[in-house]
Amino acid sequence: MKITLSILKADVGSIGGHTKPSQHMMDSVQADADAAVQSGLLIDAFVGHTGDDICIVASHTRGENDTDVHQFAWSAFLKATAIASDYGLYGAGQDLLVDAPSGNIRGAGPAVAEIEFDHDPVKTNPMRPAESFMVLAADKCGPGAYNLPMFLGFADPMYCAGLMLPRIGEGFTFNIIDMDNTGGDSLISLNAPEDYYKITVLLRDNERFAVESIVSRYSGQVAAAISATRMHNIAGTYTGKDDPVALVRNQGIFPAPEELISPYAKAHFIGGDARGSHVMPLMPVPINTAVTGMYCLPLVSCVGFSLNKDGKFADSFADFFDNPAWDYVRNLAQEKGISMRSQGWSGAAMLPYGELEYSGFRTSIGNLVERFAYRNGKESSAIPEKAGAADD
């Protein structure tokens, strides 16, 4: 049978600022997910949150971009928005950027990642005798947050020793999207290991290029799907960071979980943090973690699932970052974050103007740029003898 895994995530309101959704909101989305399972729309569903983003993980047989599945999620997010509004929560409906999309909700604000595949989990299946996968959900960061760890997990044997073995060693195709192209999905496919350096040339720019999917060159099966959309490209202005999700299949013909999560021990620097304006480390956290620490550190959670022959999830899940081993990394992230934020607004501590121009910073700098004047023979008379008031 063909199974589709879908992740749909949105920030639709949170308590006391950008912290976490209320329990009433979570209960509402869970009730809608349960109803969707009972009606037969979904086979199974899981609801959790990372920071202030509510994440729905679902299995079904309706394929990618299915209108009914996407409309279920949109409706659930709208109901949670209404609850947030009733209780005066911050940012109610923040990620719902268009009016009632009639079809799938890609490009409407919520983060979406989906994979459809043949599902036949029997011991004699040489490709996938068992189906296991991971869901990564990030908050307070841009869509390129997964660029480095995905590259290291699928292309670098220093992190994925499985690349030295047959099958996995045939490498992976990286489908990379140019998020600055607003005319449509602009993609390039590059193969690892042959295009190793070319892939890094693109992925170094987390704000423009992002991994959209990764495909096994041995089997042709999709190994990973990542939401790679820019909120400001949809809304035309800053409404919040893009907070991407990633769906990653593991084991067997794909890297193992430990090979895929080990790069997060770097707590690597990405764009995000308060007002989406800073360069800060990504901190791995357990699922259902609120944003209540100092600054507004970008967060990422990672939850593992197994799928039975009927497409139902196992009776429990694995929370990969809910382990004492990751306490060290969280402390490292805090130290790196404090060091970077101690630099304040200067240089690399903040994102470049190209990213900030979608916020109020555009107005702040624009008013000053208009006051610049030439000298050295070019309209030198325009230079004032002394500075005027700030609002002159």
Side-chain angles (χ1 to χ4, degrees), residues 11-73:
D11 173 3
V12 292
S14 51
I15 302 169
H18 282 303
T19 60
K20 67 174 185 177
S22 71
Q23 190 60 50
H24 194 177
M25 294 167 66
M26 295 297 295
D27 291 344
S28 174
V29 176
Q30 184 67 65
D32 283 349
D34 291 342
V37 172
Q38 289 185 351
S39 72
L41 176 66
L42 305 178
I43 299 173
D44 211 343
F46 168 89
V47 177
H49 75 86
T50 301
D52 53 14
D53 296 339
I54 300 175
C55 182
I56 303 170
V57 183
S59 61
H60 55 92
T61 59
R62 304 177 68 94
E64 298 178 21
N65 298 314
D66 179 74
T67 295
D68 292 339
V69 171
H70 282 229
Q71 287 299 309
F72 139 72

Side-chain angles (χ1 to χ4, degrees), residues 163-242:
L163 290 167
M164 295 185 287
L165 301 175
R167 303 199 303 176
I168 297 179
E170 293 191 22
F172 294 87
T173 297
F174 285 72
N175 295 313
I176 299 170
I177 189 168
D178 181 352
M179 296 175 292
D180 275 5
N181 191 333
T182 58
D185 290 345
S186 179
L187 293 157
I188 186 173
S189 296
L190 296 172
N191 291 323
E194 298 96 315
D195 298 322
Y196 189 104
Y197 298 150
K198 294 176 183 177
I199 295 170
T200 64
V201 166
L202 296 178
L203 296 189
R204 61 155 296 279
D205 188 343
N206 291 329
E207 311 307 324
R208 177 171 179 179
F209 301 104
V211 178
E212 192 256 0
S213 61
I214 300 172
V215 179
S216 165
R217 297 175 65 190
Y218 170 73
S219 68
Q221 294 196 42
V222 177
I226 300 98
S227 64
T229 55
R230 301 308 316 267
M231 297 282 276
H232 61 54
N233 286 345
I234 301 169
T237 186
Y238 179 80
T239 63
K241 289 309 284 182
D242 310 282

